[in-house]
Amino acid sequence: MIKEFSYITNADPSYIDSLYNTYLIAPESLDPGWQKFFQGFLYAQQYDSATSQPIERKNTEEQMAKEMNVLLLIDAFRKRGHLLSDTNPIRLRKDRKAHLDLEDFSLTEKDLETRFYAGTNLGLPNASLKEILQRLKQVYCSKIGFEIQHIESNEKREWLQDKIEKSPVALSYGLSIDQKKRILQKLNGAVIFEKFLHTKYVGQKRFSLEGGESTIPALDFMIEIAKSTGVQEVVLGMAHRGRLNVLANIIGKTYEQIFNEFEGTAIPDLSFGSGDVKYHLGYSSQVFTNSGEKIHLKLAPNPSHLEAVDPVVVGIARAKADLLYQSNYDKILPLLIHGDAAIAGQGVVYETIQMSKLDGYYSGGTIHFIINNQIGFTTDFDDARSSAYCTAAANMIQAPVFHVNGDEPEAVVFVSKLAVEYRQHFNEDVFIDMVCYRRHGHNEGDDPKFTQPILYSIINKHPNVRELYLKTLIARGDVEAMIANDLEKEFWNLLQNHLDSVRENPLPYVYQEPEIAWKALKKINSELDFEISPNTGIESKNAQQWFLKTLEIPKHFNILPKTNKIFKAWKSNFEQNILDWSMAEILAYSSILADGNNVRLSGQDVKRGTFSHRHAVLVDESSNSEHNRLNGLTDHQGQFFIYNSLLSEFAVLGFEYGYSLASPDQLVIWEAQFGDFSNGAQVIIDQFISCAQSKWNRMSGIVLLLPHGYDGQGPEHSSARLERFLQACAEFNLVVANVSNPANFFHILRRQIKWNFRKPLIIMSPKSLLRHPKCVSPLKDFCGQTRFLELILDPPENPASPSIKMILCSGQFYYDILQEKEKHKYKNIGIVRIEQLYPFPKKQIQNLSQQYPGSKWIWCQEEPRNMGAANFIENQLKDLNIEIIARPSSASPAVGHKKIHDLQLVDLLNLIFQ
């Protein structure tokens, strides 16, 4: 019988049949609506449409098929009703072919007065088809389009359906008079603030919020609801559009500060930093909600790479959850404000969303609020995406999407509240797509009619959302027109008074102070800070205790034979007081943890290590369970967080950078699988890591481990592009190192925590040195009064020779040079390993030049002449008239054939020692 109904209803027979069979076997596994329908289908009476009285049930195929059709209609509205929703305030929606007409379900207008038991599914038992349709259109096709049926979880879908279908969505959205007045107040501030700036600063860029002012009441209500559900802190990220409005009307940056930036009378002290334009700046504050409760807000600074801040914000939130809130994600809320073109077009959005449910990057769910003004710079949305909506990435993680008309602030507030409740209940991402418009061009000096003349003819005549909402409130009798006009005048006068005050008494330029945890650190550096590194040695008894502890295997843990062999070799080396690279790294982490500091390490395959060298986490060969070697070292140690990342560089490095901003007292490391993979994260390196302190007064101690070295593995696995990092170096913004021995690697990691300031550390970490027999360090180099060595000298055996040659190099190339020197027993050659390339140890080099006067100085590198450190070194050591020896300049970082690589190496060494 069910199969016959599927034929009558044009539904998939297998779909209907599977539903019915499921109901007979396990009804509780079905959606409650289907449960009710099949129950009614089998047992309920029919009702007379005129009297609403039960009549004798007639089990005809036609009647039962229509019941099924009505149920399919309800199901279809839930799935596709958003395609008919009235969410666009300035354009007619395209026909997305929702297929929600009566004839699509073998129903006609003659059925409108018929009462159907299927209405029970919608909470309307014994309702007529007309009443069912009216309710479906009211809920699913009004000013909000609910896109939720792609969610596989019955629990989440039913929770949302219950909230949506039981709320008066198309009426007053359940808002009180006071809440409506609050919306008007926030719209008043948003609209008049923009109008005031537009009047006073004609043509100045501000990337106004005009057309999307409902953002302000939306954020206001989100923060209010968030606080009521236990949130202590909200971390926001957003691009330019509306940023000044959000800073003023949500975050709490004063009008005087903003006007002062527009006036341009305060000049920053450039010795402290270069600063940034006003619509890139971040801000932190504590504000009081409408209910009088305090909540902390942080708006992260953001460069012009619009969505690059997304993973940074999520990383900040995760770090604070780990460090301050004991992983209680209900206490901190990441909130990202996107543009429609950016969220649809930029890949970092996908990467950030893809990591949202992964253990190492989970932050309890992010609220994504899209200011959808339907144009990206000059590009219409038809040319900006292939998907129906800009929020297509949400479907990937089955996040609910609420499309809403930006000219309906009550609807915007309703979905904003719903989004916070969903996030707090399920701790997962949720999206709000507020469809609105852009009053001006991309910026206030841009003419949008160049590219969208018809659209902007409509926009120019379109009243702002405050005017529209005010008319609605007056028509309802909720407020009086005179009161609303008085509010506008009062706010305008308030802004004018603040502006007059700034013009009469300009404020000095003030960099916003970093958060409390960072205030004790030194902010400005000089050469003296980098001349000699602080002592970072440890006691030998502690080194022995901690390292041997990392080699202990739990009882009943089945270690792989290969791993066990490695452990035995490490133990043997340690008993001989010798440490290789892997041992030094583990000892560095152990010592930092034992001091009470946390260590976080993430990247592709970091638990084992790309080159099978780390083995920080072991896997039981029988049960697949894991053993973290760095846990349980001491009773009061810091936490060791280590995560294999998704196959992403951009978002993962952004996340780790954000994590590093949350506390100066932890070591945060991102390791690239190969150094050249940092190319994929170049935006984070260029826009945040290398310049954030100068632009935004934000320090970071993040470490980038970039495997680098020419081993004949081809152009993609040789170079970490050392030259790019050195080119970005200035004003002591970075530390760039190419370390050549385990002890120095140990010390440079410990120095990150020991320093009384924080700098990002870029390490060209080796590959061949991980197991090179000569790349070992004695235990004494880790203990006592030892430190990181900026350069290491192998002196010439015959310093009195008249033809001394001093060879400068860095990294693993040193061992090729050393082998050649020892092979031919050159006594008049000294080798200087420059371990830290920036800040450059210039004074130490000068001291050596005085020690060996008249010597010939050579910089040699394994990279091509136009890459590596050659140009940097040449510029640093002009006084030495230094000679550069390198592979020939090349468009590619390395050759693709091992034989050619080996021949080039022979040529290099011949040139060095000729």
Side-chain angles (χ1 to χ4, degrees), residues 17-121:
D17 196 34
S18 65
L19 285 176
Y20 183 60
N21 289 330
T22 301
Y23 174 77
L24 294 176
I25 298 168
E28 70 282 354
S29 66
L30 285 179
D31 181 289
W34 284 106
Q35 293 179 38
K36 290 176 184 176
F37 174 75
F38 283 121
Q39 182 181 7
F41 174 70
L42 293 173
Y43 304 114
Q45 290 182 316
Q46 299 292 311
Y47 289 82
D48 182 271
S49 60
T51 65
S52 297
Q53 295 300 311
I55 59 175
E56 182 181 353
R57 180 175 176 184
K58 297 178 181 178
N59 290 315
T60 66
E61 289 184 1
E62 183 181 359
Q63 289 170 323
M64 289 186 283
K66 283 192 175 182
E67 285 283 358
M68 179 63 75
N69 286 333
V70 174
L71 192 63
L72 292 172
L73 173 71
I74 294 169
D75 191 50
F77 264 90
R78 286 171 174 162
K79 288 178 178 175
R80 303 192 298 277
H82 58 86
L83 297 172
L84 298 180
S85 56
D86 180 17
T87 56
N88 199 319
I90 54 168
R91 308 194 206 200
L92 289 174
R93 288 201 63 176
K94 288 186 174 183
D95 182 8
R96 296 290 184 186
K97 296 180 174 54
H99 297 295
L100 293 175
D101 296 327
L102 290 177
E103 55 265 30
D104 291 313
F105 302 89
S106 300
L107 297 167
T108 69
E109 291 189 2
K110 294 179 181 178
D111 298 309
L112 288 174
E113 300 302 327
T114 303
R115 296 184 178 276
F116 290 93
Y117 184 82
T120 306
N121 189 298

Side-chain angles (χ1 to χ4, degrees), residues 268-525:
D269 178 2
L270 293 182
S271 66
F272 189 79
S274 59
D276 203 350
V277 292
K278 50 188 169 290
Y279 41 79
H280 283 178
L281 302 178
Y283 203 78
S284 297
S285 64
Q286 284 188 331
V287 302
F288 287 95
T289 64
N290 200 34
S291 56
E293 295 185 272
K294 189 184 291 183
I295 188 168
H296 185 76
L297 305 179
K298 178 181 180 67
L299 177 64
N302 190 59
S304 287
H305 286 272
L306 303 177
E307 300 291 337
V309 79
D310 297 356
V312 176
V313 165
V314 181
I316 291 170
R318 170 59 182 263
K320 292 200 168 189
D322 284 345
L323 300 170
L324 300 180
Y325 303 118
Q326 294 73 52
S327 297
N328 184 348
Y329 298 105
D330 284 345
K331 291 186 178 292
I332 186 160
L333 171 65
L335 199 165
L336 294 174
I337 304 172
H338 310 270
D340 56 309
I343 194 173
Q346 297 196 5
V348 70
V349 176
Y350 166 87
E351 293 183 25
T352 304
I353 293 170
Q354 184 66 276
M355 68 167 61
S356 65
K357 296 184 181 182
L358 302 181
D359 185 43
Y361 310 94
Y362 178 72
S363 62
T366 298
I367 294 180
H368 302 264
F369 188 91
I370 297 97
I371 302 175
N372 185 346
N373 56 43
Q374 309 181 60
I375 297 176
F377 204 151
T378 66
T379 304
D380 207 275
F381 68 79
D382 281 335
D383 297 317
R385 63 177 188 262
S386 299
S387 55
Y389 294 115
C390 64
T391 54
N395 295 56
M396 174 181 66
I397 56 166
Q398 299 176 45
V401 184
F402 310 137
H403 307 280
V404 61
N405 191 314
D407 269 0
E408 297 289 332
E410 290 182 3
V412 175
V413 164
F414 174 82
V415 296
S416 299
K417 293 168 65 179
L418 181 60
V420 175
E421 290 169 0
Y422 181 88
R423 189 272 180 184
Q424 291 295 90
H425 189 79
F426 294 106
N427 286 129
E428 290 189 358
D429 286 33
V430 57
F431 289 71
I432 299 169
D433 173 24
M434 187 186 76
V435 185
C436 53
Y437 57 94
R438 193 180 68 190
R439 176 69 66 183
H440 308 288
H442 176 66
N443 59 64
E444 287 65 34
D446 182 40
D447 189 349
K449 285 194 172 182
F450 284 141
T451 50
Q452 282 87 14
I454 295 175
L455 177 64
Y456 270 87
S457 294
I458 297 169
I459 290 173
N460 288 341
K461 300 170 187 174
H462 192 78
N464 67 55
V465 63
R466 177 185 173 276
E467 294 173 29
L468 294 171
Y469 189 52
L470 187 54
K471 287 180 182 177
T472 300
L473 293 179
I474 292 170
R476 288 181 190 159
D478 291 336
V479 299
E480 296 179 7
M482 186 171 62
I483 294 175
N485 290 332
D486 288 344
L487 281 173
E488 180 176 2
K489 290 177 183 176
E490 288 172 10
F491 191 72
W492 185 278
N493 291 336
L494 173 69
L495 293 176
Q496 185 63 55
N497 290 337
H498 286 302
L499 177 57
D500 292 342
S501 174
V502 165
R503 285 177 171 172
E504 290 173 13
N505 302 291
L507 301 174
Y509 190 95
V510 178
Y511 282 91
Q512 188 191 354
E513 283 292 314
E515 294 181 45
I516 294 171
W518 294 89
K519 286 186 177 179
L521 295 172
K522 187 175 182 179
K523 299 177 184 64
I524 303 176
N525 297 101

Side-chain angles (χ1 to χ4, degrees), residues 537-549:
I538 58 177
E539 293 185 25
S540 59
K541 64 177 182 179
N542 288 337
Q544 183 173 10
Q545 175 190 336
W546 297 332
F547 186 76
L548 293 179
K549 188 76 174 175

Side-chain angles (χ1 to χ4, degrees), residues 489-588:
K489 290 177 183 176
E490 288 172 10
F491 191 72
W492 185 278
N493 291 336
L494 173 69
L495 293 176
Q496 185 63 55
N497 290 337
H498 286 302
L499 177 57
D500 292 342
S501 174
V502 165
R503 285 177 171 172
E504 290 173 13
N505 302 291
L507 301 174
Y509 190 95
V510 178
Y511 282 91
Q512 188 191 354
E513 283 292 314
E515 294 181 45
I516 294 171
W518 294 89
K519 286 186 177 179
L521 295 172
K522 187 175 182 179
K523 299 177 184 64
I524 303 176
N525 297 101
S526 68
E527 290 183 18
L528 294 175
D529 294 309
F530 301 97
E531 280 188 4
I532 299 292
S533 293
N535 290 330
T536 45
I538 58 177
E539 293 185 25
S540 59
K541 64 177 182 179
N542 288 337
Q544 183 173 10
Q545 175 190 336
W546 297 332
F547 186 76
L548 293 179
K549 188 76 174 175
T550 68
L551 298 181
E552 291 181 3
I553 306 300
K555 288 182 180 180
H556 312 300
F557 188 91
N558 299 294
I559 187 171
L560 285 164
K562 281 188 177 180
T563 312
N564 196 35
K565 186 178 179 181
I566 294 169
F567 271 41
K568 287 180 178 178
W570 282 342
K571 188 172 183 181
S572 174
N573 283 348
F574 198 82
E575 288 171 351
Q576 298 172 57
N577 293 327
I578 292 173
L579 282 78
D580 67 12
W581 199 277
S582 305
M583 297 166 70
E585 180 183 13
I586 292 297
L587 184 58

